[in-house]
Amino acid sequence: MKSLKKWWPTPVRSLFLFLVWLLLNNSVEFFHLFFGLVLAWLIPQLIHKFRLIQPGMKNPGAALRYGFMVLWDIVVANMQVVKLVVGPNKNLKPAFVKIPLDLTDNLSITILASTVSLTPGTVSAEVLPLDVGVDEPRYLLVHVLDLADEAELIQQVKQRYEAPLKEIF
Amino acid sequence: MSWLEWLVALLAVAGSLFVLLGSFALVKLPDFYTRLHGPTKATTLGLGALVLASMVYFNFVKGELSLQQLLIALFLFITAPITAHMLIKAALHLKLKTSAPTSGKQNADL
């Protein structure tokens, strides 16, 4: 068991690398299988020392649901953005908004920021303040393309995206 | 044309349209911050639709297994928000001008 841990320090990552290698080559020939296996072993060995331990998933089902919800929201958000882009510029109400965060760890804040960038008319700009400890409150600065109501936007992001992320991690 | 080919055509045209509109946003919107919205959203969806069209074409119309396109989608969805984040961070750092009606500038320290 101990040697298994030593040779394959991160089994999930190894499996992922192996699959990505096969997808890149789009084939399951012996040579690709073999070389994929070598890479899946070698790369985790090389980068193991630099690894930052991330929190594990508490609830994979919720993560899957979150993924599909985000995919759907990307489609909806795009329709809205396209409508805004085609319409006249003077109807736009761009704004910077601060969204207070309840999340504290870096991984879930990163996922939230990426989601916010991909979905409803917003791009995340910054997590502020930069120089606080891990447990102090922070907020996400976002740029909104067309702001209707600030409180409503904050509410929406917190309910729709932050709450499920708190469930997952 | 079979219905699969119609589906491929629909996805390819819709995808191209979204990419085009995303690029159009770059030209048309008033300032740097608003222009960022085009490539992060419309282009992502457009490329997603193109990738899907390619997958349907090769897997079902041509009948050969091809999942490579999943990787394009995966890398795209991981990198697009990061690119946008770096660009807007740089813009804030340089204090680029916002268009007149932008509210909440004090939030961004502009």
Side-chain angles (χ1 to χ4, degrees), chain A residues 17 57-58 99 110 127 130 133 157:
Chain A
L17 282 169
M57 260 191 272
K58 274 190 301 208
I99 299 174
T110 309
V127 178
L130 297 171
V157 170

Side-chain angles (χ1 to χ4, degrees), chain A residues 16 20 23-26 71 74-75 77-79 81-82 84-89 92 94-98 114 116-126 130 141 143-145 147 150, chain B residues 18 21 24-25 28-30 33-34 36-38 40-45 65-68 70-71 74-75 77 80-82 84-85 88-89 92 98-99 101-105 107-108 110:
Chain A
F16 185 70
V20 165
L23 283 175
L24 268 177
N25 288 292
N26 223 0
L71 277 182
I74 288 175
V75 176
N78 273 291
M79 303 295 175
V81 168
V82 162
L84 292 173
V85 165
V86 176
N89 278 349
L92 293 178
F96 286 99
V97 176
K98 284 175 175 178
S114 299
V116 162
S117 285
L118 282 173
T119 45
T122 46
V123 171
S124 9
E126 194 95 82
L130 297 171
L141 177 67
H143 183 266
V144 194
L145 185 54
L147 181 71
E150 186 169 339
Chain B
F18 272 109
L21 283 167
F24 174 61
K28 184 242 171 194
L29 290 173
Y33 303 96
T34 48
L36 254 184
H37 289 267
T40 45
K41 299 195 191 64
T43 311
T44 313
L45 181 70
L65 184 70
S66 167
L67 300 171
Q68 247 176 344
L70 282 178
L71 281 184
L74 180 72
F75 292 143
F77 280 80
I82 297 173
H85 178 64
I88 198 166
K89 241 175 122 81
L92 285 173
T98 54
S99 63
T102 303
S103 59
K105 280 183 208 174
N107 286 343
L110 283 170

